[in-house]
Amino acid sequence: MRKLKQNRAASFVAVTVVYIFATVVGVMVYRALRPDWWLTLLIADVAATVITFAFSIIFKNASVYDPYWSVQPPVILVAFAIGKNLTALGVLLIIVVSFWAIRLTANWAYTFHGLEHQDWRYTMLKEKTGMFYPVINFVGIHMVPTLVVYGCILPGVYAIREGLCANVASVLLLCVSLGAAVMQGVADIQMHQFRKARDGAFIRRGLWKHSRHPNYLGEILMWWGVGLSVVCAAPSAWYLVAGALANTVLFFAVSIPMADKRQSRKEGFAAYKKQTRMLLPIKK
C-alpha cells in the first residue's frame, strides 16, 4: 500500500478505478430505485460518495474525494442526455459543464502528487477535531460537497429532462459560466507560475492582483450562470437556484475563511488583505 501511495502513476490508476467503481454503483442504485428522478439521482449520488469515502478510509487519505467535485456533474448530465432529443439549451449546458469539468480535473491532475499527499485543509481538520475526524471526514469533506454540487447540477438535469428551449437570457448566462471557467483556468496558470517563481509571500500578478480568490469567484459565477440560465427558460422552476446559493454559502462560510486564515500566518497579510479585495475587484 505504501509503495502504491508513493507512486504517482499507480495512485492515478487507483483513483481512476475507485471512480469507475463508484460510477457503476451509482448507476446500479439509480436503475434499482427509479421513483422520482431527482430523489433517485440524489440517492445514487450519495451511494457513489459512500464508495469514494470507503476508499478514502482504505487509503487513509481524504483527497481521494477531490476529483469527485469535477467528475460528478458531466457524468450526470451525459447520463441523462443519452436517448434524448437535446435542445440547444441542453447541448449548451453539456458543453459548458464539460469544459468546466475538464479544466478543473486537469488542474487536479497537474497538482496531484500521489496518494501520500493530502489536501492541507483535511490535515488541519484532522489535527483540530481528533477523535471526531471520521464524522467530519464523512459529513464535511465528502457528503456536504456532494449535496452542494448535486444542487448545482440539478438545473441542468431538469432542463435536459424537460426539453427546455434556450432564450437570449439563457445563452448570455451560459456565456457568463463559460467565461467564469476560463477565468479559473487563467487563475490556475498564474498561480502555478507564481509557485514556481516564489518571488514573494503573496501572488500579486494577473487576476490575483485584483482578487484574493479569483478561482473561487469563478466557481461561484459558474453555477449561478447555469442555474439562472435554466430559470430564465422556466421561471416557475426558480427554486433550482438553491444549489448555486448553497455553493456560494459554502465558499463564504468555509473555503474563503480557511484560505485566508492560512495566509494570515504570513508576514504582511494585513496589508495584502487591505490592498486586495476578497472576490470582486471593486474599490471601496
Side-chain angles (χ1 to χ4, degrees):
M1 179 68 75
R2 186 176 181 182
K3 289 184 178 180
L4 182 152
K5 293 173 68 175
Q6 290 176 334
N7 187 294
R8 187 168 184 260
S11 294
F12 263 120
V13 173
V15 171
T16 301
V17 170
V18 169
Y19 278 81
I20 291 174
F21 183 40
T23 300
V24 170
V25 170
V27 171
M28 290 175 63
V29 169
Y30 185 86
R31 289 182 174 178
L33 298 178
R34 289 178 178 260
D36 296 319
W37 67 268
W38 62 270
L39 180 58
T40 307
L41 175 59
L42 175 59
I43 295 171
D45 205 0
V46 168
T49 302
V50 169
I51 296 299
T52 308
F53 171 72
F55 278 97
S56 77
I57 297 299
I58 292 172
F59 290 120
K60 297 180 180 180
N61 190 330
S63 281
V64 169
Y65 178 81
D66 287 350
Y68 199 93
W69 184 280
S70 58
V71 171
Q72 173 207 44
V75 169
I76 290 175
L77 279 190
V78 171
F80 276 90
I82 295 175
K84 294 281 186 180
N85 291 320
L86 292 177
T87 63
L89 180 58
V91 172
L92 287 173
L93 282 164
I94 291 175
I95 290 173
V96 171
V97 171
S98 296
F99 177 81
W100 164 86
I102 291 170
R103 183 215 64 79
L104 188 54
T105 305
N107 187 62
W108 166 79
Y110 181 80
T111 58
F112 180 71
H113 302 294
L115 286 170
E116 213 175 37
H117 298 271
Q118 180 174 254
D119 190 292
W120 63 269
R121 291 167 294 187
Y122 308 156
T123 302
M124 182 189 73
L125 286 172
K126 185 175 183 179
E127 293 172 350
K128 285 190 173 183
T129 57
M131 62 181 293
F132 297 104
Y133 177 69
V135 176
I136 299 299
N137 186 11
F138 179 70
V139 177
I141 296 176
H142 287 76
M143 202 53 62
V144 169
T146 286
L147 296 177
V148 169
V149 182
Y150 164 82
C152 288
I153 202 61
L154 206 58
V157 178
Y158 178 84
I160 289 173
R161 281 185 55 87
E162 298 298 319
L164 298 182
C165 295
N167 53 38
V168 174
S170 298
V171 174
L172 289 176
L173 284 162
L174 286 177
C175 286
V176 170
S177 293
L178 186 61
V182 171
M183 180 175 69
Q184 287 179 294
V186 172
D188 287 340
I189 292 172
Q190 291 171 348
M191 177 57 76
H192 296 320
Q193 292 173 340
F194 167 74
R195 286 174 176 169
K196 286 182 178 180
R198 290 293 180 185
D199 53 355
F202 308 100
I203 178 171
R204 295 172 179 268
R205 63 179 63 158
L207 296 172
W208 300 85
K209 180 180 179 180
H210 308 286
S211 171
R212 299 200 305 275
H213 307 285
N215 49 344
Y216 291 165
L217 174 60
E219 193 69 16
I220 291 170
L221 291 175
M222 165 69 193
W223 295 113
W224 275 109
V226 169
L228 289 174
S229 72
V230 175
V231 171
C232 284
S236 61
W238 56 268
Y239 51 85
L240 290 174
V241 298
L245 179 60
N247 183 59
T248 303
V249 171
L250 181 65
F251 277 103
F252 274 95
V254 180
S255 300
I256 292 175
M258 287 181 71
D260 279 351
K261 186 175 181 180
R262 191 187 192 209
Q263 290 283 75
S264 67
R265 300 171 185 172
K266 299 178 182 178
E267 185 178 351
F269 177 75
Y272 165 70
K273 184 177 181 180
K274 185 177 180 180
Q275 296 166 3
T276 313
R277 297 302 297 266
M278 181 173 66
L279 289 178
L280 295 173
I282 301 174
K283 294 183 178 180
K284 297 181 180 179

